[in-house]
Amino acid sequence: MSPAAEPAGAAGTDETGRARPASLWKLYWAFNRLALQGFGGVLAVAQRELVERLGWLSQEEFLESLAVAQVLPGPNVVNLSLMIGDRFFGVRGAFAALAGMMLLPCILMLSMAALYGQFASHPVVGNALRGMGAVSAGLILATGVKLAPSLPGNPMGRWWAWGLAGLTIVAIAVLRLPLPWVLACLGPLGMWAAWRRLKA
């Protein structure tokens, strides 16, 4: 691959030719950049940065890592940062990625929380927050649409994946079931479907 064709910010490659962070510092700044763009939901930004811009993960690898991150306790993207940091640099990488996700965003969030306390009752602030909520929902929906083409490569197959996605939407949006119950019921069903297809 010529230098001009390398993904932006990817100064190194692994043994398979896939881009990887050249240093802990690069890893830290990549997750810092990712976190500072994530107003109201960083998942869409994570997919764009890690898969499309940096090329550190394929679409399938991103989906697999995200699936694991979602069933672990804690915010999905924080779990994802720990897993990806560990993948490239071990424990040091996990801490570097976590610091990139948390350090500057925490300082920014505390500053904005102090400002919000002063201006929370202003109508412009309320309208701005409602607008951000709508944008966040749109970003998450757009991420789902972008990841959908990866479904045929899933061990479960496209129809099982769509079926489970539909059941999840019904359980959460219509029946209002708590997320732990949805995971406890549909998670084993998904694992069984994948195991059955892989065994066949």
Side-chain angles (χ1 to χ4, degrees), residues 117-183:
Q118 298 293 321
F119 301 102
S121 59
H122 197 287
V124 172
V125 175
N127 291 337
L129 291 177
R130 280 191 285 276
M132 289 179 192
V135 170
S136 299
L139 284 172
I140 293 170
L141 180 61
T143 303
V145 171
K146 287 169 72 176
L147 294 177
S150 302
L151 288 180
N154 190 286
M156 286 191 300
R158 180 186 305 175
W159 299 114
W160 264 101
W162 279 118
L164 283 176
L167 286 174
T168 304
I169 291 172
V170 170
I172 292 177
V174 179
L175 302 178
R176 306 278 183 181
L177 296 178
L179 183 59
W181 284 104
V182 176
L183 280 174

Side-chain angles (χ1 to χ4, degrees), residues 32-116:
N32 188 252
R33 174 191 168 94
L34 184 157
L36 290 176
Q37 296 177 70
F39 286 88
V42 77
L43 183 59
V45 181
Q47 188 274 340
R48 189 181 69 229
E49 288 286 317
L50 299 173
V51 176
E52 297 176 13
R53 196 180 77 85
L54 296 170
W56 292 352
L57 299 176
S58 67
Q59 198 86 293
E60 290 74 20
E61 289 170 334
F62 180 80
L63 277 174
E64 291 169 2
S65 301
L66 179 62
V68 175
Q70 285 179 318
V71 298
L72 294 174
N76 298 338
V77 180
V78 172
N79 294 340
L80 194 62
S81 70
L82 287 166
M83 293 165 60
I84 293 173
D86 179 72
R87 169 180 175 153
F88 290 121
F89 295 105
V91 175
R92 293 182 306 144
F95 279 107
L98 181 64
M101 281 295 300
M102 303 297 292
L103 189 58
L104 287 184
C106 276
I107 295 172
L108 183 61
M109 187 186 70
L110 290 172
S111 303
M112 293 184 74
L115 284 174
Y116 179 74

